Amino acid sequence: MLRYLARRCAYVGLMLAGLVVITFVIANVTPADPAALAAGPDATPDMVATLRREYGLDRPLPEQFIRYVRDVAQGNLGRSIQSGNAVTDDLRRYVPATMQLVILAMGFACAVGIPLGMLAAVRRQSWLDHAIRVVAVSGVAMPAFWIALLLQLVVAVWWGWLPTGGILSISADSPPTITGMVLFDALLAGDWPVFGDAAAHAVLPAFVLSLPCLASVLRVNRTEMIEVLGSDHVTAARAHGVAPGRVVGLLALKNAMLPTLAMIGLRFGWMLGSTVLVETVFDWPGIGLYAVNSAIASDFKPVMGVTLVIGVIFMLSNLLVDLAYGWLDPRTRSA
Amino acid sequence: MSMIEIENFRLAFDGFEGRAHVLDGIDIRIEAGESVGIVGESGCGKSVLARSLLRLNPSPPARVVSGAIRFEGQDVLAMDRAALRRLRGGTIGMVFQDPVTYLNPVFTIGRQMEEVLRAHEPQLSRAARRDRCVELLEAVRLPQAGALLGRYPHELSGGMRQRVLIAEALAGKPRVLIADEPTTALDVTIQRQVLELIADLVERLGLTLVLISHDLGVIGAVCRRILVMYAGHVVEDAPAEELFRAPRHPYTRGLLAAMPDLRRPGHMPSGIPGSIPDLRTPPTGCRFHPRCMMAEAVCRATKPVLLGGDGHAVACHMAHVPA
Amino acid sequence: MSEIALTRVGRLRQEHAGGLRQARFFAWTFARSPSALLGLALVTVFLVLTLIGPWIVPYPEHARGAVDLANRLQPPSARYWFGTDEMGNDILTRVIIGTRTSFWIGLTITGLAAVVGVPLGVASGYFGGRIRSVIMRVTDVFLAVPGLVLALAIVAALGPGILHGVLALAIVWWPGYVRLIEAKALTLRSEAYVEAARTMGASHTRILFRHILPNCMGPLVVKASMDMGMAILAAASLGFIGLGAKPPAPEWGAMIATGRTYMPDWWWYSAFPGFCIFLTVLGFNLFGDGLRDTLDPRSSR
């Protein structure tokens, strides 16, 4: 098992290296002149040239690459033109907000999708088949930004049940920073008013974010459960008199979880990408919004920084999924 | 009242392209303590019949058309869920054909067996359950039973897996053992060991045995009484010795002739011409008549009934005609 | 029995009897799924609008961006089914025109991705070894970053605009095709008939074109159908954040972005184009799903 882990970690390291290369390539493919942009619209050619030298943009490409790798390794991701801060500082501020959304969304999707999928597999009917398929495909087909806008319109504006955006009300005090995630910090500190406020703000964005994942998990789990429930070893368990509840909920589910887990891993990546859209609509101060605002302003460093961070998060999650796979399915361990 | 009574049992499968009449009027009585073998080609319905005893056929495609199945007087088909669960594994244990697919791949052997024990003896503590598992594994002659509990099915050989399946079937202390092609997926050398094991267990535990196979040799080695099935019917029912010595049904004779005889090297066994019928449109009258040498008009017209007074019953209009 | 002279059609029918039967079987299987039929219907509507959209719009002058300020921001009514935008243009008209834009966006992205991805996938799966290692590593790196984020980064570097958006998305999409085709080619390589062809001395090219590629068509078509929808969605997403098509281009995502500034009072501006995106993507996804079940039915259906 440990060897498996070591191999996977080494692979992740390789992927990270590749990612660094790609971000470098992208940053250098730009037709725009980063020095000119950094200098601003009123800069003289001299100022631009100075900046170019400072950024090392006049050096040959391989040297620039080495400089870049060294910077990234030291945690220096550059400076944002818009905010003036170091990108790493900005990221440190925004990553927890995004993680909060993602954790909530993923948790909700699994907590609802897996049991519902099991239930739908046990109560099998052909009309349910097609209904669930349409629902599941809809969840994936629905433009996140559109449903976000609609929910914002109906639930927040017309009905006034929930706030329209932001992570906390302006009037609310931030809870003490433990995890950096406002909702969980308030929970840990026992600060119920702030917790309620944070929760109210998080409902809509987390829900929108969870939809594609929920729909897919529901569908995959149902399909896999149906298949496993028809398998020989389940028949054998039934023949031996094992209670139906345990047959479905334990013996069958563990088998069905393997592909479900793979789907969760896949949809997690999707979810990370969708934060860009959802945070924009709900004005959520996370790395998605940060990336969008920077991209529109042609501020590259933050965009590259966000790309790297999201890439790393996704790679780690894939590693986790692989490990979980190995733990769930003993056959892969020997492979 | 016999232990197992199957009365005029008809079962059909509603499939894609029509309804297949898989079991068409089965009448069987099995007494306690008997060792009965059911033999027939693939597709004759013997596995479906065995599963029907425990209501294991999935109910949307499978449909009981008519008839009854009774165990010690109780109607199996009408049993409520709780009684059925007690029956399964607790009274009637079942061993399946292919241990690769019949063992749950993601759970250890010990865990799977514990689940069965949990269902039938919920009061046992964890330690007691574990001990019982070891006991069961030793009963099926598996060495190092303790270590085996922590293994996964894919780490075991075919023979070992089959023994685990037998152990699982016996975990609930059943009085009847149904073995559905228990040796078919095994190597020939292992087959013999497993058969001996089954025979030994049946004798030691005083079980009633129903052994199902397409291999007459396997059946003959263990069973005292043999039922021959063809296309959803029981066509012959006789004590084993008599069946081998003087078979009365043309199909049985064909089966026996098809067995290779090592005592006559160079002698090619003869096959039975034709193939099994499509059960969606089975032949009229006797289902075997299209392949039968001795078929007459009556065979096409009327379905023969299983008759025979001297413990040797046969379903054939031409039974009185010598071979 | 006398020989009956067969007409040319008759002979053709006989020659291709097997293929015809298979095609009929596929159609029959496909038609048995209501969700697949729904998908087909939606895709058909989409394609019809793409083809003849400009000729059937209720307000052709609005398609070319005529200004009618007297009727700006009108709510949905019998006159303007989807309401009007800030220029007074009928939103339904603009949405229908946008169908064409979406179509070529989706087609270009999917087409480019497939053209690059399929050969690489085939090479990787069939030849294996070093080639496979390299190709798989590279695709894995691309797949390590979620698509939208990578596309965002590329467009940020290249500059906003619909062409850059399409290019960025194509770059994001091709690894998926490599993965799919590579897996298929790998299994095909060890099929008995391929081995037989090798032993008979068939060249790699011949095997690739006669055996491997045709058998990859199934999963490829399924993926391409579903990708059409997803690519349109991704492009609209980029348009929404302001990095894809720029208004007043009739691209659905850009429309929603503009419409957002008029929320909540003039909500129809964002609501209807979004609904059309949804229907389009839903249609392609259901269709692709239905295709998948037709070409490879699983026992658990």
Side-chain angles (χ1 to χ4, degrees):
Chain A
M1 184 66 173
L2 252 117
R3 253 216 318 235
Y4 184 65
L5 185 65
R7 255 187 305 145
R8 292 297 294 127
C9 283
Y11 196 72
V12 169
L14 185 66
M15 291 297 105
L16 237 112
L19 186 59
V20 169
V21 170
I22 286 200
T23 48
F24 180 74
V25 168
I26 294 176
N28 280 285
V29 149
T30 167
D33 183 358
L37 281 167
D42 315 307
T44 64
D46 277 338
M47 289 162 72
V48 175
T50 316
L51 266 179
R52 186 170 291 131
R53 253 199 311 280
E54 205 181 287
Y55 284 157
L57 292 169
D58 50 342
R59 320 249 79 195
L61 225 50
E63 197 182 314
Q64 282 193 49
F65 179 63
I66 297 185
R67 197 173 168 184
Y68 178 64
V69 172
R70 203 192 45 195
D71 282 342
V72 170
Q74 288 173 345
N76 176 9
L77 291 169
R79 192 164 288 276
S80 162
I81 301 175
Q82 280 209 300
S83 72
N85 300 330
V87 169
T88 20
D89 288 339
D90 279 342
L91 286 175
R92 202 172 294 144
R93 203 148 34 100
Y94 296 131
V95 165
T98 302
M99 288 318 292
Q100 176 185 314
L101 262 193
V102 166
I103 290 175
L104 286 174
M106 188 51 89
F108 181 69
C110 292
V112 173
I114 294 180
L116 271 188
M118 263 174 46
L119 192 66
V122 170
R123 303 210 176 303
R124 215 195 148 181
Q125 275 142 38
S126 62
W127 64 262
L128 196 62
D129 256 341
H130 290 289
I132 288 198
R133 166 186 279 192
V134 175
V135 164
V137 174
S138 300
V140 172
M142 214 175 283
F145 54 92
W146 173 67
I147 197 73
L149 282 174
L150 281 185
L151 281 175
Q152 195 182 45
L153 178 75
V154 173
V155 176
V157 178
W158 285 351
W159 296 345
W161 288 358
L162 292 166
T164 51
I167 191 169
L168 273 181
S169 302
I170 304 177
S171 49
D173 297 315
S174 302
T177 313
I178 310 173
T179 60
M181 292 182 272
V182 164
L183 184 72
F184 301 126
D185 285 344
L187 179 66
L188 289 170
D191 189 346
W192 301 118
V194 175
F195 178 74
D197 188 48
H201 279 89
V203 167
L204 284 181
F207 177 68
V208 172
L209 208 56
S210 75
L211 281 177
C213 188
L214 197 158
S216 299
V217 165
L218 172 66
R219 186 172 178 203
V220 161
N221 205 32
R222 179 182 163 275
T223 306
E224 291 305 315
M225 283 296 292
I226 288 179
E227 179 145 341
V228 172
L229 286 174
S231 68
D232 290 335
H233 57 83
V234 166
T235 307
R238 289 207 173 112
H240 295 140
V242 180
R246 289 190 84 86
V247 171
V248 172
L250 179 68
L251 298 174
L253 185 63
K254 198 173 180 197
N255 280 280
M257 276 311 286
L258 302 167
T260 306
L261 197 63
M263 174 60 81
I264 291 178
L266 201 71
R267 285 284 168 241
F268 183 67
W270 196 271
M271 199 184 273
L272 287 176
S274 292
T275 56
V276 163
L277 303 169
V278 173
E279 288 181 10
T280 305
V281 172
F282 287 106
D283 229 349
W284 189 269
I287 52 179
L289 186 58
Y290 182 50
V292 170
N293 290 338
S294 307
I296 294 184
S298 296
D299 190 2
F300 299 136
K301 295 272 187 263
V303 177
M304 295 306 139
V306 170
T307 308
L308 271 172
V309 166
I310 289 191
V312 168
I313 297 177
F314 189 39
M315 274 190 244
L316 285 177
S317 82
N318 284 342
L319 183 66
L320 273 175
V321 168
D322 275 343
L323 291 177
Y325 225 92
W327 173 71
L328 271 179
D329 186 357
R331 291 168 293 186
T332 54
R333 288 185 223 161
S334 342
Chain B
M1 183 188 70
S2 316
M3 192 187 213
I4 299 176
E5 286 174 358
I6 304 175
E7 204 176 283
N8 200 18
F9 187 61
R10 271 174 236 271
L11 185 96
F13 270 78
D14 286 324
F16 237 16
E17 295 129 327
R19 171 178 275 209
H21 302 272
V22 177
L23 293 175
D24 190 33
I26 305 281
D27 275 292
I28 300 179
R29 282 184 149 60
I30 299 179
E31 308 299 329
E34 283 198 81
S35 280
V36 180
I38 303 183
V39 70
E41 286 171 273
S42 311
C44 71
K46 47 195 200 295
S47 286
V48 174
L49 180 62
R51 282 164 196 234
S52 299
L53 273 172
L54 291 177
R55 276 166 60 183
L56 284 175
N57 292 307
S59 210
R63 183 93 57 88
V64 174
V65 178
S66 68
I69 296 184
R70 278 184 286 271
F71 182 79
E72 288 181 339
Q74 278 187 297
D75 187 346
V76 171
L77 298 174
M79 265 185 192
D80 64 37
R81 288 263 151 219
L84 188 62
R85 267 218 305 129
R86 279 193 300 272
L87 185 76
R88 289 173 176 174
T91 321
I92 301 182
M94 192 149 169
V95 180
F96 294 93
Q97 172 174 332
D98 186 359
V100 173
T101 53
Y102 281 95
L103 282 175
N104 198 324
V106 299
F107 286 99
T108 58
I109 305 288
R111 197 75 171 72
Q112 294 186 46
M113 291 184 66
E114 280 184 33
E115 278 305 313
V116 181
L117 282 175
R118 198 191 278 254
H120 293 286
E121 290 178 74
Q123 74 284 4
L124 284 182
S125 69
R126 271 200 79 188
R129 267 205 298 269
R130 198 182 171 282
D131 289 336
R132 182 102 175 87
C133 289
V134 173
E135 236 182 79
L136 283 164
L137 289 179
E138 286 174 345
V140 293
R141 304 183 196 155
L142 280 170
Q144 295 169 318
L148 219 57
L149 290 179
R151 289 265 128 81
Y152 287 94
H154 69 276
E155 297 176 295
L156 270 58
S157 72
M160 290 167 80
R161 282 196 286 251
Q162 189 59 293
R163 290 169 201 265
V164 169
L165 267 187
I166 297 176
E168 265 188 14
L170 296 175
K173 302 195 181 130
R175 282 178 285 136
V176 179
L177 185 66
I178 305 179
D180 186 0
E181 306 260 17
T183 54
T184 307
L186 302 172
D187 293 334
V188 174
T189 42
I190 313 286
Q191 273 187 21
R192 202 205 156 100
Q193 289 176 19
V194 171
L195 273 181
E196 276 178 6
L197 173 65
I198 293 180
D200 183 50
L201 285 168
V202 164
E203 200 187 300
R204 260 200 297 133
L205 301 171
L207 300 170
T208 308
L209 175 70
V210 178
L211 180 64
I212 298 168
S213 180
H214 62 272
D215 187 338
L216 261 176
V218 163
I219 300 254
V222 179
C223 305
R224 298 269 159 68
R225 176 178 160 206
I226 301 182
L227 283 90
V228 181
M229 274 186 76
Y230 180 79
H233 286 157
V234 176
V235 297
E236 192 159 355
D237 179 354
E241 277 171 21
E242 236 187 86
L243 192 90
F244 283 107
R245 192 171 41 82
R248 289 188 197 164
H249 196 280
Y251 178 62
T252 318
R253 291 189 203 133
L255 276 184
L256 285 166
M259 283 172 69
D261 190 351
L262 290 173
R263 289 167 297 175
R264 292 200 278 169
H267 168 83
M268 279 294 279
S270 48
I272 307 175
S275 51
I276 53 172
D278 182 351
L279 292 175
R280 289 168 299 184
T281 46
T284 53
C286 171
R287 284 186 174 183
F288 186 62
H289 83 253
R291 304 169 76 179
C292 186
M293 298 282 137
M294 298 160 44
E296 301 280 335
V298 63
C299 302
R300 270 190 292 278
T302 336
K303 207 182 88 157
V305 179
L306 198 64
L307 290 173
D310 51 345
H312 185 154
V314 67
C316 180
H317 295 299
M318 303 285 117
H320 57 281
V321 177
Chain C
M1 203 161 77
S2 60
E3 284 231 329
I4 306 167
L6 287 172
T7 61
R8 239 183 117 212
V9 173
R11 239 180 302 135
L12 270 173
R13 206 180 280 166
Q14 206 174 55
E15 262 172 43
H16 297 278
L20 275 177
R21 200 183 315 128
Q22 211 178 40
R24 250 209 311 254
F25 177 67
F26 279 159
W28 176 76
T29 315
F30 187 86
R32 287 179 75 228
S33 164
S35 45
L37 288 175
L38 175 62
L40 179 64
L42 289 170
V43 169
T44 311
V45 169
F46 177 78
L47 291 175
V48 163
L49 287 178
T50 305
L51 271 173
I52 63 171
W55 288 280
I56 61 169
V57 288
Y59 294 88
E61 62 281 10
H62 290 174
R64 274 165 274 123
V67 176
D68 181 9
L69 290 173
N71 281 313
R72 70 194 298 265
L73 297 171
Q74 294 294 309
S77 62
R79 264 188 83 191
Y80 304 108
W81 288 4
F82 286 178
T84 57
D85 65 12
E86 81 280 19
M87 297 296 204
N89 287 327
D90 174 36
I91 291 181
L92 175 62
T93 303
R94 302 246 322 150
V95 163
I96 292 181
I97 299 300
T99 316
R100 279 205 162 174
T101 319
S102 298
F103 175 72
W104 86 254
I105 288 178
L107 197 63
T108 312
I109 295 173
T110 314
L112 279 177
V115 158
V116 173
V118 171
L120 282 176
V122 168
S124 170
Y126 182 71
F127 292 112
R130 279 274 183 73
I131 300 181
R132 175 157 184 255
S133 286
V134 168
I135 295 183
M136 289 319 282
R137 298 281 147 77
V138 173
T139 46
D140 278 350
V141 171
F142 273 89
L143 289 172
V145 181
L148 204 55
V149 175
L150 189 61
L152 188 128
I154 297 175
V155 176
L158 293 175
I162 203 169
L163 276 166
H164 293 157
V166 167
L167 183 63
L169 286 171
I171 295 177
V172 162
W173 236 275
W174 68 260
Y177 282 91
V178 176
R179 272 270 178 93
L180 180 79
I181 300 295
E182 187 252 4
K184 189 78 182 160
L186 204 60
T187 25
L188 286 174
R189 181 176 69 162
S190 44
E191 288 274 347
Y193 55 87
V194 172
E195 278 192 48
R198 291 296 315 283
T199 50
M200 287 196 285
S203 71
H204 284 309
T205 326
R206 188 179 163 78
I207 295 182
L208 281 174
F209 278 96
R210 273 220 74 180
H211 297 293
I212 308 282
L213 265 180
N215 284 298
C216 290
M217 280 301 126
L220 184 62
V221 168
V222 170
K223 181 167 171 59
S225 313
M226 298 183 70
D227 277 353
M228 261 301 272
M230 301 314 278
I232 293 177
L233 179 60
S237 303
L238 283 182
F240 175 72
I241 12 183
L243 291 173
K246 283 250 165 274
E251 199 266 318
W252 293 336
M255 268 189 242
I256 300 183
T258 317
R260 189 177 170 217
T261 58
Y262 293 99
M263 292 271 275
D265 298 312
W266 300 283
W267 53 272
W268 51 88
Y269 198 154
S270 291
F272 288 109
F275 187 58
C276 291
I277 300 179
F278 171 54
L279 285 180
T280 305
V281 181
L282 181 69
F284 277 104
N285 276 15
L286 284 177
F287 179 69
D289 230 26
L291 266 186
R292 190 204 293 134
D293 279 345
T294 317
L295 296 173
D296 176 27
R298 289 180 66 186
S299 50
S300 60
R301 292 301 306 136

